[in-house]
Amino acid sequence: MSSSPNRSSAFVFIFITLTINAMGIGLMMPVLPNLLTELTSLPVGEAARWGGALSVIFALMQFLCGPTLGNLSDRFGRRPVLLISMLTVAADYLLIALSWNLAVLFIARMISGIAGATHSAASAYIADISDKKDRAKNFGLLGAAFGVGFVLGPVIGGLLGEFGSRAPFYAGAALSFLNFVFGYFILPETLKPENRRSFDWKRANPFGALKHVSANKDVQVLLLALLLFDIAHYVYPSVWSYFTTEVFAWTPSDIGLSLAVVGFGYAFVQGYLIRVLDHRIGTGAILMIGLTCNLIAFAALAFIRDGWLAYAFIGFAIMGALATPAFTGLMSNLVADDAQGELQGLIASAAGLSMIISPFVMTQSFSYFTSSSTVYFPGAPFVISAVLIILAAMIALPFLKKQAKATAENSPKSQKTPAE
């Protein structure tokens, strides 16, 4: 492979890969109830319990395997990890389409969680081909891919679901295989031989990776803040459908429209807006804007009772998407080139852990405060999220102040000439 990578083609492949990964959950949503009832012969209400278990096993695999794939990419390079993962995703979609019992479906979702942890290698790839000053805005492209996949997944799943509960997965397998072929021919390796390191199982798990990376206290602080942010942010997939049905009496089409707005908004904010803001105000300021917008959105959604108002504050939630690439960019600049995969794997693990914790906390609090025996307050999950955002900001703020001070001291304007 060429030592001077074709960045445009590489970005396209990474974007498509992460879009397909993001489509995975949405692709399943329209057809999963029918697929589960086919495999279990249970009514939809009872089959839904297995749907929850599938979500947990997927998130658990991402939590456990994110650092493994990240460390493998630090050892063998980004290209082989990304290509093998993409081929595995294609085979996994095919396995779901052909699943003949519930056990096979669970195995397939475990594989999905492992292969889906490709986010760590993809993020490390972006770090490799980006200058430090550009990392935050380029990480925004990853969020934009998520936004696009978040919109396309349910649409494609719903349309193809008309041809049967397994049709969307055959399409997912075909898309993933075509993307593998595309990547095989155009994706260059970006990890230089001198930046590779030996693979160590002690570092290739979330606990070992945390122990090693968090030796850097600044990374430790930002990682904790990111974990709190992720738990708060996953309130949307956890309770949005239930909350909007309960409070605004929205129909499924209303809910779908709101999610489409969010998906397009994320793509715009993380794919374009962050690139405009990064050079003008800096990554630290972008992070605080993102956290502040999330706080406003959560605080408002907890108390509003009119559906049209929700759209006004969805705008703040969309702007809050600035926080994710800002967190990632700041941490990426704090670790060595041979540990980028490990760091991104740890970030993926934090997201996986959040996907386990948040649905439980948010759905249980929603259920508790909407039952007849308690104080009626369906906005309780958003209050919890607002508190978590405040804690995340309080944890990150000292680091941001220290960074801003160091930047000011090292800026040309602060350097006096001998004549002065």
Side-chain angles (χ1 to χ4, degrees):
M1 301 301 295
S2 171
S3 60
S4 57
N6 184 331
R7 294 192 177 191
S8 297
S9 298
F11 271 122
V12 169
F13 174 79
I14 296 296
F15 188 88
I16 294 174
T17 298
L18 294 178
T19 298
I20 291 173
N21 284 352
M23 283 172 51
I25 297 174
L27 202 67
M28 293 186 74
M29 287 174 64
V31 297
L32 187 58
N34 288 339
L35 182 59
L36 284 172
T37 54
E38 288 176 20
L39 294 176
T40 63
S41 300
L42 293 172
V44 172
E46 293 183 38
R49 296 180 180 178
W50 290 111
L54 286 169
S55 297
V56 170
I57 199 69
F58 176 85
L60 183 61
M61 289 300 102
Q62 288 218 314
F63 167 69
L64 293 174
C65 298
T68 305
L69 290 187
N71 275 268
L72 285 171
S73 77
D74 284 340
R75 170 62 183 90
F76 298 104
R78 319 302 184 198
R79 173 182 159 85
V81 172
L82 286 166
L83 291 179
I84 291 172
S85 295
M86 200 73 250
L87 190 59
T88 303
V89 168
D92 184 63
Y93 272 130
L94 190 59
L95 181 60
I96 294 175
L98 297 173
S99 57
W100 53 92
N101 60 40
L102 194 60
V104 174
L105 186 59
F106 266 88
I107 292 170
R109 286 308 283 163
M110 289 177 67
I111 296 171
S112 298
I114 296 169
T118 340
H119 193 281
S120 57
S123 298
Y125 196 104
I126 295 297
D128 290 343
I129 62 176
S130 304
D131 296 329
K132 285 192 174 185
K133 61 183 177 61
D134 294 328
R135 279 177 176 170
K137 68 179 185 182
N138 286 341
F139 283 132
L141 290 174
L142 308 186
F146 171 82
V148 173
F150 189 75
V151 174
L152 290 180
V155 172
I156 294 174
L159 290 174
L160 294 180
E162 296 296 321
F163 299 96
S165 61
R166 299 164 189 267
F169 303 110
Y170 286 114
L175 281 173
S176 299
F177 182 74
L178 288 174
N179 192 43
F180 161 78
V181 174
F182 173 58
Y184 182 83
F185 287 105
I186 65 91
L187 188 70
E189 181 55 67
T190 57
L191 186 64
K192 298 176 182 178
E194 62 268 24
N195 289 332
R196 301 189 186 196
R197 59 179 177 82
S198 59
F199 182 82
D200 184 357
W201 278 110
K202 292 180 180 179
R203 292 171 60 174
N205 65 83
F207 308 105
L210 177 63
K211 181 179 179 181
H212 181 265
V213 172
S214 64
N216 183 319
K217 297 301 179 184
D218 288 334
V219 173
Q220 188 177 32
V221 166
L222 290 175
L223 193 62
L224 176 58
L226 176 62
L227 176 63
L228 295 174
F229 169 80
D230 280 345
I231 295 172
H233 201 248
Y234 282 123
V235 68
Y236 295 117
S238 298
V239 301
W240 185 250
S241 297
Y242 309 110
F243 174 79
T244 53
T245 300
E246 174 73 17
V247 177
F248 308 136
W250 279 2
T251 64
S253 61
D254 293 327
I255 297 169
L257 177 61
S258 69
L259 293 175
V261 169
V262 170
F264 281 120
Y266 278 12
F268 171 76
V269 167
Q270 295 191 342
Y272 172 74
L273 185 59
I274 191 172
R275 307 180 77 81
V276 174
L277 294 177
D278 195 45
H279 286 307
R280 296 185 180 182
I281 63 175
T283 308
I286 290 174
L287 174 59
M288 293 311 297
I289 290 173
L291 292 176
T292 302
C293 287
N294 274 291
L295 180 59
I296 293 171
F298 292 142
L301 289 169
F303 296 100
I304 63 174
R305 293 294 177 265
D306 293 318
W308 66 270
L309 272 175
Y311 274 94
F313 291 101
I314 283 176
F316 283 97
I318 290 170
M319 286 295 293
L322 288 168
T324 303
F327 268 123
T328 306
L330 288 169
M331 283 189 280
S332 178
N333 288 342
L334 293 171
V335 302
D337 290 340
D338 68 354
Q340 289 294 329
E342 180 176 49
L343 171 66
Q344 302 304 331
L346 198 53
I347 292 172
S349 283
L353 183 60
S354 302
M355 290 169 64
I356 297 171
I357 296 172
S358 189
F360 176 79
V361 172
M362 302 308 176
T363 56
Q364 292 303 308
S365 62
F366 178 81
S367 177
Y368 181 80
F369 282 101
T370 53
S371 66
S372 58
S373 59
T374 62
V375 175
Y376 182 76
F377 184 39
F382 293 103
V383 171
I384 294 171
S385 294
V387 171
L388 291 172
I389 290 295
I390 292 171
L391 292 175
M394 291 173 63
I395 291 169
L397 194 56
F399 165 79
L400 296 177
K401 287 181 176 179
K402 182 176 71 173
Q403 186 191 54
K405 182 180 178 181
T407 301
E409 290 175 349
N410 293 327
S411 65
K413 291 182 181 180
S414 67
Q415 305 295 323
K416 293 186 177 181
T417 64
E420 295 174 313

